[in-house]
Amino acid sequence: CSHEGNELLCGQCVQHIPAVPPRCYRCKQVSRGYATCSSCRRYSALTQVGVFSTYDGLIKELVHAYKYERASGAARQLGKLLKPLLDEFEGSFVLVPAPTATSRVRQRGYDHAVLLTRRLGRETGNPVVEVLARVGQAHQVGSDRKARFAHAKGAFRVRLSQKIANKHVVLVDDILTTGATLEAAAKILKQAGAKKVSAIVVA
């Protein structure tokens, strides 16, 4: 809107972003606290998946600038947008960034998921533990659903598993497409000792 300020999106523009209501991320059935519904839980390792908005319009522009135009300052605003969603997550939990391929980090000069998670940690007071690492350099952009799930298998490893032992882990990422990345990460976190795994994403 050309308004000058300290954020990439002004307060008025933020109000025009359509919010996603609490619902199961797989089947879109309305659910309390973004919970994965009982039917989908049979196929999912994720307890809850909070989603701020759809990947369109202003949010798409903001995320694109953040990831591909070196607008690292967008992490601050994205963290503020995600903070209210965490009110739906009961009890204590730790925040874990979804790992980015190291080649992408070198291209951007920063890890967008780590910056976002750290900002969200500062906004909420929840601890951030960077325990997930990506194995290999496979990129998901442009892949179909089948390819995404194939790429995600064996794509992650857990470091310092004692930091998540018997804890509720909330994965943090920017975009959810098929859910392949988050599901694969959730499974390996559970195998490493996490009590339960949820996720929160921008769109």
Side-chain angles (χ1 to χ4, degrees):
C1 69
S2 300
H3 172 79
E4 292 187 14
N6 297 323
E7 304 285 4
L8 289 174
L9 288 181
C10 71
Q12 277 193 318
C13 283
V14 167
Q15 292 177 11
H16 291 295
I17 298 173
V20 172
R23 64 189 187 187
C24 171
Y25 96 93
R26 288 175 63 97
C27 68
K28 308 300 186 292
Q29 177 180 320
V30 174
S31 67
R32 183 175 177 270
Y34 299 96
T36 306
C37 73
S38 56
S39 297
C40 291
R41 282 297 301 277
R42 292 179 292 175
Y43 312 102
S44 176
L46 293 162
T47 301
Q48 297 167 272
V49 181
V51 181
F52 174 67
S53 186
T54 54
Y55 189 55
D56 194 13
L58 292 173
I59 278 293
K60 186 174 182 178
E61 291 181 40
L62 183 61
V63 171
H64 189 276
Y66 179 45
K67 293 175 70 173
Y68 303 112
E69 298 174 18
R70 298 183 181 273
S72 59
R76 179 177 61 184
Q77 190 164 37
L78 292 171
K80 289 179 179 178
L81 295 177
L82 288 181
K83 180 183 177 181
L85 275 67
L86 285 177
D87 292 339
E88 301 286 344
F89 291 65
E90 297 180 355
S92 61
F93 50 83
V94 297
L95 300 170
V96 173
T100 306
T102 55
S103 59
R104 293 292 196 193
V105 176
R106 287 194 295 270
Q107 287 173 2
R108 293 172 186 145
Y110 55 89
D111 188 320
H112 70 285
V114 169
L115 287 187
L116 176 58
T117 308
R118 289 175 180 173
R119 170 53 61 177
L120 195 55
R122 285 194 289 271
E123 291 284 340
T124 64
N126 291 102
V128 174
V129 289
E130 298 170 27
V131 296
L132 268 180
R134 187 177 284 271
V135 178
Q137 302 295 324
H139 297 155
Q140 299 278 46
V141 177
S143 301
D144 62 18
R145 182 180 179 84
K146 185 176 180 180
R148 284 174 179 268
F149 276 90
H151 291 163
K153 285 184 178 180
F156 309 111
R157 62 184 177 88
V158 176
R159 305 168 297 190
L160 304 172
S161 58
Q162 66 271 22
K163 290 189 175 183
I164 59 165
N166 297 313
K167 293 181 179 179
H168 180 189
V169 172
V170 178
L171 284 162
V172 181
D173 207 354
D174 58 338
I175 301 299
L176 186 159
T177 306
T178 61
T181 297
L182 294 178
E183 287 287 358
K187 287 177 183 176
I188 195 168
L189 286 166
K190 280 190 168 182
Q191 291 170 6
K195 185 176 182 180
K196 66 177 180 178
V197 183
S198 300
I200 188 169
V201 299
V202 177

